[in-house]
Amino acid sequence: MENKRLAAGSRDEYGTRLVQKQQISQTISATLNAAGFTPIATPLLERENTFEHYPTQAVFHLTDQGRERLVLRPDLTLPIARFLTTGRHEPRFTKLYYLGDVLKPTDHLSGAYNQETQAGIELIGDDGLASEIQALDKMLYFAQIFGIADVQVVLSDARFIPTVLSQITMLAAQRQQLQTAIEAKNVTQFIKYQQAIADFPTFLSTWPLAFGTAGEAVMWQAQDLPGVAPIVSGWLTLADYVHTHYPDVAVTVDLTAAPPQGYYTGTKMRGFEPS
């Protein structure tokens, strides 16, 4: 039976663990159905060009009988975007939710699993703050009903780093070097690059460490820069909502966060349970 072992990074699900997963899935579906969301399920196999902007090493590649290049989906947002571009949906504002498995290659012998289940919502046709509040509310509501205590919300924005760097005179190559160092939280490289730039703002001298309390201190100074005030204003509105409706949830910011993928262009909200 040596050749019948599971592939690296995979596992069987059964028994109590699978029952719990089924119960969680049923609760999510019932809650979102009642809230007026429409379920959507996309194929596990997608054409390669659906994920053409993903790093090659982050996707499982294969071919079908006709030699067309396919991938096992590593994400559920882009397949929904692909679905919406076909026109097979209502043209008005649409509320969708998904619940399904994705597959991503993992580092060999890392102990991580390459298949996981994702659930999420997509609010189509409305880029306003109301949609962000609705998404945040759903995240915290599910944390509450699943008994996840001591949740902390961390706010970031894909526009923040490029917007701030655009206000400082430097070459394009220097701007990219700084952004890479900030997103990697690499203080050594950041100091090296920023020392070569004249008039670099003093309050940004430790930017790669600007998250949590340190990030909030920098945020108040950065909000005076052109283009930053609307981002900060949005964060404050989201924080006010959390404090009002979920008073036990802490809210902070991360001014160093990189967008998970290139199609993330605005606010990012993450929830953590401190270990």
Side-chain angles (χ1 to χ4, degrees):
M1 295 293 290
E2 179 69 17
N3 63 343
K4 301 298 184 182
R5 293 184 301 172
L6 283 169
S10 61
R11 62 179 171 181
D12 294 313
E13 293 184 324
Y14 60 94
T16 301
R17 181 186 180 90
L18 183 55
V19 169
Q20 291 175 336
K21 181 176 178 179
Q22 291 172 334
Q23 291 172 340
I24 291 171
S25 298
Q26 289 167 1
T27 298
I28 291 173
S29 296
T31 301
L32 293 177
N33 286 338
F37 283 79
T38 300
I40 180 171
T42 59
L44 191 62
L45 285 172
E46 291 277 353
R47 286 180 171 172
E48 193 176 59
N49 61 6
T50 300
F51 295 95
E52 59 187 349
H53 298 300
Y54 257 69
T56 301
Q57 68 275 16
V59 180
F60 285 110
H61 296 264
L62 63 160
T63 56
D64 67 6
Q65 304 92 321
R67 309 304 297 171
E68 182 174 16
R69 292 182 62 82
L70 306 173
V71 300
L72 294 173
R73 66 184 185 203
D75 172 85
L76 282 163
T77 299
L78 287 177
I80 292 175
R82 184 264 308 147
F83 166 79
L84 292 171
T85 61
T86 65
R88 294 194 299 269
H89 64 286
E90 296 180 11
R92 300 178 59 191
F93 173 74
T94 305
K95 301 197 302 183
L96 303 174
Y97 78 89
Y98 57 80
L99 183 61
D101 285 357
V102 297
L103 292 102
K104 303 177 183 179
T106 59
D107 293 335
H108 187 58
L109 300 180
S110 67
Y113 295 109
N114 53 37
Q115 182 173 344
E116 61 182 25
T117 303
Q118 286 186 356
I121 63 175
E122 301 289 344
L123 301 169
I124 312 301
D126 186 351
D127 60 358
L129 200 56
S131 291
E132 294 179 352
I133 290 174
Q134 187 172 178
L136 179 59
D137 180 74
K138 288 292 179 286
M139 178 179 76
L140 294 176
Y141 174 76
F142 282 122
Q144 189 177 72
I145 64 175
F146 291 135
I148 302 174
D150 300 323
V151 175
Q152 181 180 61
V153 172
V154 178
L155 303 173
S156 57
D157 197 295
R159 298 166 294 177
F160 184 83
I161 296 175
T163 297
V164 173
L165 289 177
S166 70
Q167 312 301 318
I168 306 169
T169 302
M170 67 181 85
L171 299 174
Q174 292 175 308
R175 188 172 290 111
Q176 184 57 56
Q177 289 172 334
L178 282 169
Q179 180 162 346
T180 299
I182 294 165
E183 293 174 346
K185 295 179 170 58
N186 190 324
V187 177
T188 302
Q189 288 296 314
F190 176 79
I191 292 175
K192 172 186 173 182
Y193 297 138
Q194 67 102 4
Q195 285 179 339
I197 299 170
D199 302 323
F200 195 89
T202 303
F203 74 91
L204 293 172
S205 60
T206 58
W207 194 344
L209 302 177
F211 48 88
T213 303
E216 293 169 23
V218 173
M219 177 190 74
W220 293 118
Q221 298 179 76
Q223 70 173 341
D224 294 329
L225 295 174
V228 175
I231 297 174
V232 173
S233 177
W235 288 342
L236 296 177
T237 300
L238 293 173
D240 286 343
Y241 181 87
V242 174
H243 294 325
T244 300
H245 295 85
Y246 301 91
D248 294 331
V249 174
V251 184
T252 189
V253 295
D254 183 353
L255 308 188
T256 71
Q261 301 297 336
Y263 57 81
Y264 283 80
T265 58
T267 303
K268 178 182 177 182
M269 299 168 285
R270 293 171 292 166
F272 294 95
E273 184 179 23
S275 57

